[in-house]
Amino acid sequence: MKKSNLLLIKTNLETFNDFNALALAAAKALAAAYPRLPFVVVGYRPAPNPLSVLYSNNLNLERLGELSSLKTIYQQLGDSFDQVFVPDHVSYDEKFILITKKQELKKPEIKAFIEDWRALHTILKNYLEHHLAEQNMEYGNQISQLIHDVDALMRLWKDPAQQAERIEKRLSYQSNLNKRLLFFVRDVELLKSRVNIKELIDAVFEAGEFKSLKDKIEFQENIERESIEVDLELFNMALKETLHNALKAAKNDLNKIEIKISKVTVDLHFFLNQWLIVTIINSGTGINPDYLPWVKTPYFTTWKEDGNTGFGLAICQKILAAHQGYLDVKSATDGKTEVSLCWPMIENE
């Protein structure tokens, strides 16, 4: 059975956050589906030399590089070639041009491929616009909160002699907040290593405040012998953030903490199919159901008077997202809070 156009493009797609990467994946998919098809994909962007050859199949045109006009290409190809645009709307600042034989552009299967590529381009455009809007809103909220915190500190300085203790506490809070905020707003760069799962988990509990929790770890059968590819430092950081919250909610009562390590296999196309699930359960104060939608939001905390910045779960989620994982938080009616860190183990090819 012949693979669908979307699956062919997905197979060649390295990242779905860049129009050029999508165009290159589409070109490679077209070449794989129709090896003898002569075509060239040209990218356009507003610039003095706006055109550049991204991919050439059976035409040997990659050497042309950046161009100011399509005339150079048509001088080599002749009148038997024609072009279509992706997308087909003239309002886009960035677009791509597929040039191939005129008779090929009339074939239903080529038309269908072009429409699928256009559809993916539109989806990516909508995603990027939505992501940018969300990002701007998030940064706006963070700047607003940061200004509020700095303003509170400035008010304390009006009477430093009387407010010395509060100023010292506030400065400590602000220093901690600044470090966490800087980590949160910067891009996460992964340095992955393959490591045994038991060794990975044990390393978090070898020393420090979490050493006493090591006996609470429950491994699913056989998972201790498996391995996973993660950034070791960031894995350690994410798990410690979650453990710190659990201990605080349980008021350091170890009998109220459970830690479960398991693997889940999902048999669905297009999805990561094996997951390492690290679940921390605490029977402490619980989470108000009204707060659940906000617990992974920067600055959200019910413990600000204790110096908490509200970045613990936000940082944890950012680290997981960089690994293509996710953070799941559940609060049961019996007061238990269950936080699951879901790490992808194997990605579909």
Side-chain angles (χ1 to χ4, degrees), residues 14 49 70 101 121 132 144 163 168 251 255 278 301-302:
E14 295 182 1
N49 289 315
L70 290 174
K101 292 274 190 180
H121 188 101
L132 181 61
S144 175
Q163 302 288 351
E168 183 179 358
K251 297 181 179 178
N255 293 321
V278 181
T301 179
T302 56

Side-chain angles (χ1 to χ4, degrees), residues 23 58 70 80 85 139 176 211 216 228 257 270 317 319:
N58 298 322
L70 290 174
S80 61
F85 295 95
Y139 286 163
N176 185 27
K211 187 176 181 180
K216 297 288 183 179
I228 187 172
I257 303 290
F270 280 104
Q317 179 173 251
I319 292 170

Side-chain angles (χ1 to χ4, degrees), residues 9-242:
I9 294 174
K10 185 251 181 187
T11 302
N12 291 280
L13 190 60
E14 295 182 1
T15 176
F16 193 64
N17 60 7
D18 178 77
F19 290 118
N20 277 350
L22 176 59
L24 187 58
K28 290 179 178 179
L30 186 60
Y34 308 99
R36 298 182 180 180
L37 180 69
F39 71 89
V40 59
V41 172
V42 179
Y44 167 84
R45 71 190 191 288
N49 289 315
L51 304 172
S52 58
V53 175
L54 295 181
Y55 192 92
S56 175
N57 195 57
N58 298 322
L59 293 175
N60 193 29
L61 294 176
E62 293 94 338
R63 67 186 187 283
L64 294 179
E66 294 185 349
L67 303 168
S68 59
S69 168
L70 290 174
K71 289 181 180 179
T72 305
I73 293 177
Y74 278 104
Q75 285 173 354
Q76 298 192 39
L77 299 182
D79 295 337
S80 61
F81 282 76
D82 204 352
Q83 64 199 35
V84 292
F85 295 95
V86 177
D88 57 355
H89 306 294
V90 297
S91 59
Y92 283 73
D93 291 330
E94 191 167 359
K95 67 166 66 236
F96 301 90
I97 307 164
L98 171 65
I99 302 173
T100 188
K101 292 274 190 180
K102 291 180 180 178
Q103 65 266 27
E104 298 292 341
L105 290 174
K106 297 177 182 178
K107 293 181 178 179
E109 61 270 25
I110 302 299
K111 287 183 177 181
F113 186 95
I114 294 168
E115 288 307 311
D116 286 342
W117 179 9
R118 285 171 173 165
L120 285 174
H121 188 101
T122 301
I123 291 170
L124 177 57
K125 176 182 180 292
N126 292 337
Y127 163 76
L128 291 176
E129 288 178 349
H130 178 71
H131 177 71
L132 181 61
E134 282 193 333
Q135 192 176 56
N136 288 340
M137 182 182 294
E138 184 176 278
Y139 286 163
N141 291 336
Q142 291 167 20
I143 291 169
S144 175
Q145 184 62 49
L146 186 61
I147 291 172
H148 177 272
D149 286 339
V150 172
D151 184 61
L153 183 59
M154 291 172 65
R155 287 198 299 271
L156 291 176
W157 276 105
K158 290 181 179 180
D159 190 3
Q162 296 294 323
Q163 302 288 351
E165 185 177 341
R166 292 183 63 189
I167 288 173
E168 183 179 358
K169 184 178 179 181
R170 192 75 193 194
L171 285 173
S172 175
Y173 163 84
Q174 197 66 46
S175 176
N176 185 27
L177 172 64
N178 291 349
K179 291 175 184 177
R180 288 168 167 267
L181 181 58
L182 280 174
F183 177 88
F184 185 79
V185 299
R186 288 172 175 168
D187 291 335
V188 176
E189 295 184 6
L190 299 180
L191 185 61
K192 289 185 176 182
S193 302
R194 181 157 291 278
V195 62
N196 172 266
I197 287 175
K198 187 175 188 309
E199 293 176 3
L200 178 67
I201 299 297
D202 285 348
V204 179
F205 297 89
E206 281 180 354
E209 62 180 312
F210 306 120
K211 187 176 181 180
S212 55
L213 286 171
K214 194 169 183 178
D215 293 337
K216 297 288 183 179
I217 303 173
E218 178 185 332
F219 286 94
Q220 183 185 63
E221 187 177 0
N222 297 325
I223 195 173
E224 297 171 85
R225 294 194 291 270
E226 297 202 38
S227 63
I228 187 172
E229 192 173 280
V230 293
D231 184 302
L232 303 182
E233 183 180 353
L234 294 180
F235 181 96
N236 191 298
M237 182 189 297
L239 186 50
K240 284 184 176 181
E241 292 285 357
T242 311

Side-chain angles (χ1 to χ4, degrees), residues 255-266:
N255 293 321
K256 293 183 177 181
I257 303 290
E258 303 172 57
I259 302 167
K260 297 182 179 181
I261 315 297
S262 59
K263 184 178 83 169
V264 172
T265 300
V266 180

